[in-house]
Amino acid sequence: MTSSAPKTQETPADALPKSWDPSAVEAELYQGWVDAGYFEADPSSGKPPYSIVLPPPNVNGSLHMGHALDHTLMDALSRRKRMLGFEVLWLPGMDHAGIATQIAVEKELAVDGKTKEDFGRELFIDKVWDWKRSTGGKITGQMRLIGDGIDWSRERFTMDDGLSHAVQTMFKRMYDDGLIYRAERLVNWSPVLQTAISDIEVKFEDVEGELVSLRYGSLNDDEPHVIVATTRVETMLGDTAVAVHPEDERYRHLVGTTLPHPFTGREIPIIADDYVDPEFGTGAVKITPAHDPNDFEMGLRHNLPMPTIMDKAGRIADTGTEFDGLDRFEARVKVREALAEQGRVVAEKRPYVHSVGHSERSGESIEPRLSLQWWVKVDGLAAAAGDAIRNGDTVIHPASQEPRWFAWVDNMHDWCISRQLWWGHRIPIWYGPDGESVCLGPGETAPAGWEQDPDVLDTWFSSGLWPFSTMGWPDATDDLAKFYPTSVLVTGYDILFFWVARMMMFGTYVASDASLNAGENPGKVPFKDLFLHGLVRDQFGKKMSKSKGNGIDPLDWVERFGADALRFTLARGANPGADLSVGEDHAQSSRNFANKLFNATKFALMNGAAPAELPARSELTDADRWILDRLNHVRAEVDTAFERYEFSKACEALYHFAWDEVCDWYLEIAKVQFSDDALAESTRGVLGNVLDALLRLLHPVIPFVTETLWKVLTGGESIVVASWPTATDLDADLVAAQRVSDMQKLITEVRRFRSDQGLKPSQKVAAKIVGVDAADLAAQIPATRALAKLTEPDGDFSATASVEVRLSRATVTVELDTSGTVDLVAERARLVKDLAAAEKELAQTTAKLGNEAFLAKAPDAVVDKIRGRQQIATEEIARISARLEAMGTQ
């Protein structure tokens, strides 16, 4: 008699669609969460705080795979902590992206043949704001599509009034403390954008250029001369020295003398400096202080002149030579030709492949250029940022990234914070008519007739304040008191230096502010944990790029496979500090997992499964106790993995528990138990409890399908605000686990035998199972027969084949009547294969046990285990040989 729900009876499963279709439900589910206010944080709550600030995407950006990974991991952390009873703030916002946004708007103007100069600064800025309101922020809509559980009521923008107030406050304070200054220094200069750009906006590429060796001094080998090599021969117009190593005997007689410049008539001194490698090239190098970082440092050490030989557009200027007015690349050719005419080109090598920095935004090669800029003095700030990690105020995950952090902050150079743009935070320095200057803080005004510095601040300056400016700093706010310092920063290791270091410097600099110390935790650092994940690469491990055509649009995957599939694919591959490779096969696998979960839960609902108070464990079956114990173990495994930011481990544990243990085994066993009136009700409760906990454990990573299923399974309001599964205090039933393991092995071996014989999966075979009592498997026989498709034999039963399976307590023999069904040739082949495997195992274990050196070093437990393997192999050989002999072959 069966107590499973009749097919004509209405069940909770009827509330679910026929199959899982993410596109039909995801948008509505997400909007429901937002409307319910589940993601809004309450600073007056008595719950413990947990806070993350979203690394602000560019206002002109769109979601790429790196964003999708970032957001999936942050959302998973936030959702889990919310379920654990924390007051969670995940704060969103966007970066004004100075260069990128200005370029985007200028391109729109260019369509009408206009430039920003046609409008002037104020009108152009108005147009940028118009663009931001109408076109910018596309990415926030995409964030909703992947399920970001963000507090949209707190959305910020780096150019809004509150953050602008914070930027001006920080600049003023640092200027007054002597940490911001103006000086001529070498910068990364973009001739196309005509501004300094940051290191992160410089991408190095191998290019085919030329290496020209040229001769300074006499063309007569017997008279004073030196030979130097360069890949940028045009920069020799700005040479102010030739350097050699102090101990290089070849040039010691020339140190302190001068040689005439071939074009300018300037006398070029020969200087000695330890920087020069005497083993490289000729051991002599040309020094152009205004156009090379290393040369600049040498120029400072030797007090060399530093003439700038190019204008802002990259044209040769102010050299007093025939090359003035030429583009730098035209000049490269003309200078080389002119030197050759003088007989000074000693050698030329083409092509000469070398690495050259290019502007990420505009594509042209960067020109190191001496320029008057604003700088942050970083020595003390960088030291504090390093000490924050050394002292454990902030913990880097994984710890293997710490050396990279220290290598950067312990050797950091002063930071150029000015940009020659119009869109951005204007530098709050004002100049008077007589050369006076003043730095103005918020609310302060300059005297009439004074003019503000035309430059704007590097975008990283404002985004460096992000963890606390977004919560209201410099004012003392409830958000700061509750949620600062933030709990964790989640970001890729590739921007460890550029953004993370800035935030740490600013955060430690203002750590003593009363506004950051009003809560329970002092604001020593901007975040307590720093989790660094790797880069998303294609399925072959290659970096994704438009030029290679191997980029993947995460929104394409959302449309085709669902947001859960995208998220699970990324989280399942996310190990701390390691890159992850993803391809369409991974997304399909994740979609299949969501489908499997959906179908399993629907089946359970059709059979009346629901969370319930369970009877005493002694009244449960071995399979019930086993699956509950496995759930408890996996829950602990998942908790540990999440706390260590090991998302991959958490996902792997849940995937295999859900698919391999719940779906492949317990659901099948439950079908058998449903047919037993004495077991049906408790089975429904066990299955309901397991699915309830499993869905909650999976929810942080795959929120949509788990919400859909959990609400129907439990009748609860939303899994978003459900509690996280808690551990039971019961010891695992190891005896039950062993019985289930033995049953699984027995079923697996019978299934393997059936497959080898070509039996259809649904075909039932009469069989006797011998040795059940000795193996302590009596209670497992109904499920064994059902899952292995074995029927009770009738009176005419005659075994034609058998399968012997060695279990933990005894060997069980399954005698089958396969007359008319078994392929004897296939059976012999299977046995021969098994015999070969057993003989190989016997040979390997015997060899190890005969190795005196191994026995002398190996622990007793290891030796005993090998002896056990040897004994099993010996018994298997005897058993299989007997079977082969009985079949008439040897």
Side-chain angles (χ1 to χ4, degrees):
M1 179 179 178
T2 178
S3 58
S4 60
K7 293 186 177 180
T8 57
Q9 178 181 328
E10 187 173 336
T11 71
D14 295 319
L16 294 173
K18 183 179 180 180
S19 60
W20 177 238
D21 180 6
S23 62
V25 299
E26 287 180 347
E28 183 179 350
L29 284 176
Y30 184 82
Q31 193 56 48
W33 295 332
V34 173
D35 292 343
Y38 293 151
F39 305 140
E40 293 183 13
D42 179 8
S44 66
S45 163
K47 299 177 182 178
Y50 186 82
S51 55
I52 301 177
V53 291
L54 177 78
N58 288 351
V59 66
N60 69 317
S62 59
L63 199 76
H64 56 62
M65 272 297 184
H67 290 132
L69 173 62
D70 251 355
H71 293 213
T72 294
L73 302 185
M74 284 183 278
D75 194 35
L77 292 171
S78 299
R79 287 178 183 269
R80 175 173 174 270
K81 288 292 184 178
R82 189 178 292 111
M83 296 172 78
L84 278 165
F86 285 75
E87 190 64 40
V88 174
L89 169 61
W90 186 16
L91 194 151
M94 291 183 294
D95 193 290
H96 65 278
I99 291 178
T101 302
Q102 181 161 320
I103 289 175
V105 177
E106 287 192 75
K107 283 183 178 178
E108 286 198 357
L109 296 180
V111 172
D112 297 324
K114 301 288 187 180
T115 68
K116 67 180 188 296
E117 285 77 14
D118 292 327
F119 295 91
R121 185 167 195 143
E122 289 187 13
L123 282 178
F124 176 76
I125 295 301
D126 288 342
K127 287 192 171 293
V128 179
W129 278 109
D130 290 341
W131 177 90
K132 188 259 183 187
R133 284 185 284 268
S134 64
T135 307
K138 172 185 176 183
I139 195 170
T140 60
Q142 297 172 330
M143 289 158 58
R144 289 172 165 85
L145 292 177
I146 66 170
D148 281 6
I150 276 180
D151 187 347
W152 293 108
S153 69
R154 285 175 166 82
E155 186 175 1
R156 304 306 299 269
F157 180 54
T158 49
M159 289 284 286
D160 67 26
D161 290 342
L163 271 67
S164 295
H165 177 82
V167 167
Q168 196 171 358
T169 299
M170 180 64 77
F171 188 100
K172 169 71 172 173
R173 184 181 298 186
M174 296 180 76
Y175 180 86
D176 289 346
D177 286 348
L179 295 176
I180 290 180
Y181 64 95
R182 197 182 192 204
E184 261 199 329
R185 295 284 179 85
L186 216 62
V187 297
N188 299 312
W189 186 264
S190 167
V192 171
L193 303 175
Q194 296 192 21
T195 179
I197 63 175
S198 67
D199 290 341
I200 198 173
E201 290 158 335
V202 178
K203 300 300 179 185
F204 284 87
E205 303 171 6
D206 285 342
V207 300
E208 290 188 356
E210 61 182 11
L211 182 66
V212 177
S213 297
L214 63 98
R215 183 178 187 127
Y216 270 108
S218 176
L219 299 178
N220 186 334
D221 290 345
D222 296 329
E223 296 176 355
H225 69 279
V226 291
I227 296 172
V228 297
T230 179
T231 57
R232 300 199 307 151
V233 71
E234 73 281 2
T235 62
M236 64 86 61
L237 297 171
D239 284 358
T240 56
V242 170
V244 298
H245 193 274
E247 298 177 5
D248 193 331
E249 294 291 341
R250 293 171 295 175
Y251 302 112
R252 182 168 292 179
H253 67 288
L254 292 178
V255 174
T257 65
T258 64
L259 299 173
H261 191 284
F263 301 120
T264 67
R266 189 168 55 240
E267 288 295 318
I268 305 297
I270 310 298
I271 62 173
D273 195 285
D274 290 334
Y275 170 78
V276 180
D277 180 1
E279 302 299 322
F280 183 76
T282 64
V285 294
K286 60 188 285 299
I287 306 301
T288 318
H291 293 275
D292 182 273
N294 296 318
D295 292 3
F296 175 75
E297 296 297 330
M298 205 178 301
L300 291 177
R301 290 196 293 272
H302 295 273
N303 197 29
L304 297 175
M306 299 188 182
T308 298
I309 62 163
M310 293 183 201
D311 63 15
K312 295 178 180 180
R315 293 185 297 265
I316 304 298
D318 301 323
T319 66
T321 69
E322 61 189 280
F323 310 109
D324 283 355
L326 292 178
D327 173 82
R328 53 185 174 151
F329 300 112
E330 294 176 314
R332 182 169 301 171
V333 175
K334 296 297 184 183
V335 169
R336 174 172 42 79
E337 290 175 346
L339 287 169
E341 288 179 6
Q342 293 185 20
R344 296 191 177 278
V345 174
V346 177
E348 298 177 66
K349 184 176 181 181
R350 291 191 204 89
Y352 181 76
V353 179
H354 60 123
S355 182
V356 177
H358 289 72
S359 169
E360 182 182 40
R361 304 297 178 188
S362 48
E364 87 281 21
S365 57
I366 288 302
E367 185 61 46
R369 185 173 187 270
L370 193 62
S371 179
L372 184 62
Q373 303 282 350
W374 287 94
W375 303 81
V376 169
K377 188 176 182 181
V378 301
D379 289 352
L381 300 172
D387 289 344
I389 303 298
R390 290 187 176 94
N391 298 336
D393 298 322
T394 294
V395 179
I396 292 180
H397 304 268
S400 59
Q401 292 289 335
E402 283 186 9
R404 297 184 68 190
W405 172 262
F406 293 126
W408 176 258
V409 298
D410 293 347
N411 299 282
M412 194 181 294
H413 299 292
D414 285 2
W415 170 23
C416 176
I417 57 171
S418 49
R419 299 290 181 266
Q420 291 64 56
L421 303 172
W422 285 0
W423 173 243
H425 293 283
R426 192 92 173 260
I427 288 177
I429 298 290
W430 292 74
Y431 303 104
D434 297 319
E436 315 96 313
S437 65
V438 63
C439 179
L440 300 181
E444 299 177 346
T445 57
W450 286 48
E451 293 186 358
Q452 189 173 2
D453 193 295
D455 289 351
V456 300
L457 286 167
D458 178 13
T459 298
W460 297 102
F461 192 99
S462 52
S463 60
L465 313 182
W466 191 251
F468 47 89
S469 65
T470 50
M471 296 189 200
W473 183 89
D475 298 331
T477 65
D478 292 342
D479 280 357
L480 282 170
K482 180 74 173 179
F483 297 112
Y484 190 85
T486 61
S487 303
V488 60
L489 176 73
V490 177
T491 191
Y493 64 71
D494 55 325
I495 58 172
L496 175 65
F497 315 131
F498 307 107
W499 183 46
V500 180
R502 314 300 193 216
M503 286 189 289
M504 191 69 84
M505 289 193 298
F506 284 139
T508 52
Y509 174 63
V510 297
S512 61
D513 281 19
S515 61
L516 302 182
N517 290 274
E520 297 180 5
N521 299 311
K524 292 181 181 179
V525 288
F527 28 81
K528 298 170 189 173
D529 280 355
L530 171 55
F531 170 64
L532 300 169
H533 59 73
L535 305 178
V536 185
R537 298 181 178 273
D538 72 10
Q539 60 185 325
F540 305 108
K542 303 294 185 182
K543 187 174 181 180
M544 293 185 185
S545 70
K546 292 181 180 178
S547 60
K548 293 178 182 177
N550 66 340
I552 300 172
D553 182 352
L555 279 305
D556 174 57
W557 277 12
V558 170
E559 182 178 344
R560 295 168 58 202
F561 308 118
D564 287 334
L566 168 72
R567 293 165 60 109
F568 194 75
T569 298
L570 294 171
R572 193 178 179 187
N575 287 305
D579 292 347
L580 60 152
S581 298
V582 297
E584 193 163 297
D585 288 350
H586 300 95
Q588 289 174 339
S589 173
S590 297
R591 178 196 57 192
N592 294 345
F593 179 58
N595 289 340
K596 185 83 168 180
L597 199 64
F598 180 88
N599 292 334
T601 306
K602 189 170 184 178
F603 167 81
L605 290 167
M606 290 170 62
N607 285 275
E613 188 75 28
L614 299 179
R617 276 173 69 89
S618 60
E619 298 179 35
L620 298 175
T621 67
D622 287 340
D624 293 338
R625 292 194 294 274
W626 164 73
I627 198 65
L628 289 170
D629 290 343
R630 287 297 303 142
L631 171 64
N632 203 42
H633 176 83
V634 169
R635 183 212 54 78
E637 210 177 340
V638 169
D639 275 338
T640 299
F642 264 117
E643 293 301 320
R644 295 176 178 174
Y645 304 103
E646 294 172 341
F647 297 92
S648 179
K649 286 186 178 180
C651 290
E652 283 296 311
L654 288 168
Y655 176 89
H656 289 293
F657 175 67
W659 194 298
D660 302 344
E661 295 178 304
V662 175
C663 294
D664 284 357
W665 285 107
Y666 187 72
L667 267 181
E668 298 302 313
I669 296 170
K671 291 178 183 178
V672 180
Q673 295 184 177
F674 284 150
S675 65
D676 186 332
D677 284 340
L679 302 177
E681 196 59 34
S682 60
T683 302
R684 292 189 183 102
V686 170
L687 182 55
N689 287 359
V690 169
L691 289 174
D692 169 27
L694 175 59
L695 291 171
R696 284 184 282 152
L697 289 169
L698 281 165
H699 174 72
V701 179
I702 49 174
F704 292 106
V705 69
T706 53
E707 170 81 333
T708 302
L709 296 173
W710 186 85
K711 287 170 72 173
V712 177
L713 177 72
T714 67
E717 176 188 344
S718 172
I719 197 171
V720 176
V721 290
S723 62
W724 186 252
T726 54
T728 64
D729 56 1
L730 299 173
D731 293 334
D733 189 333
L734 300 182
V735 174
Q738 188 60 61
R739 287 176 184 147
V740 171
S741 177
D742 283 346
M743 178 185 66
Q744 291 171 329
K745 184 176 181 181
L746 180 59
I747 293 169
T748 300
E749 287 302 311
V750 172
R751 285 174 172 173
R752 186 161 74 97
F753 171 81
R754 292 172 56 101
S755 176
D756 289 343
Q757 305 312 308
L759 294 175
K760 296 178 181 179
S762 60
Q763 185 175 355
K764 294 183 178 180
V765 178
K768 285 183 179 179
I769 305 178
V770 182
V772 171
D773 291 337
D776 193 22
L777 281 186
Q780 277 66 47
I781 293 308
T784 300
R785 286 190 174 277
L787 272 62
K789 295 292 189 294
L790 303 177
T791 62
E792 290 280 2
D794 56 26
D796 297 328
F797 176 80
S798 176
T800 59
S802 65
V803 178
E804 295 181 17
V805 184
R806 182 184 178 90
L807 302 178
S808 61
R809 291 176 178 265
T811 296
V812 171
T813 302
V814 180
E815 299 176 350
L816 305 98
D817 179 5
T818 60
S819 56
T821 62
V822 170
D823 181 344
L824 293 178
V825 173
E827 170 64 352
R828 288 190 187 100
R830 182 183 73 83
L831 290 171
V832 168
K833 181 179 178 183
D834 289 351
L835 179 62
E839 289 173 338
K840 181 178 180 182
E841 173 74 351
L842 178 62
Q844 290 176 339
T845 53
T846 301
K848 280 194 174 183
L849 293 173
N851 186 333
E852 295 297 334
F854 169 76
L855 294 176
K857 295 180 180 179
D860 291 343
V862 172
V863 175
D864 290 343
K865 186 175 181 179
I866 294 174
R867 286 200 177 103
R869 287 169 49 196
Q870 184 188 49
Q871 178 64 28
I872 292 172
T874 301
E875 293 173 2
E876 282 290 283
I877 290 170
R879 178 186 66 81
I880 297 170
S881 297
R883 284 289 319 283
L884 287 169
E885 185 175 0
M887 293 177 71
T889 184
Q890 188 63 28

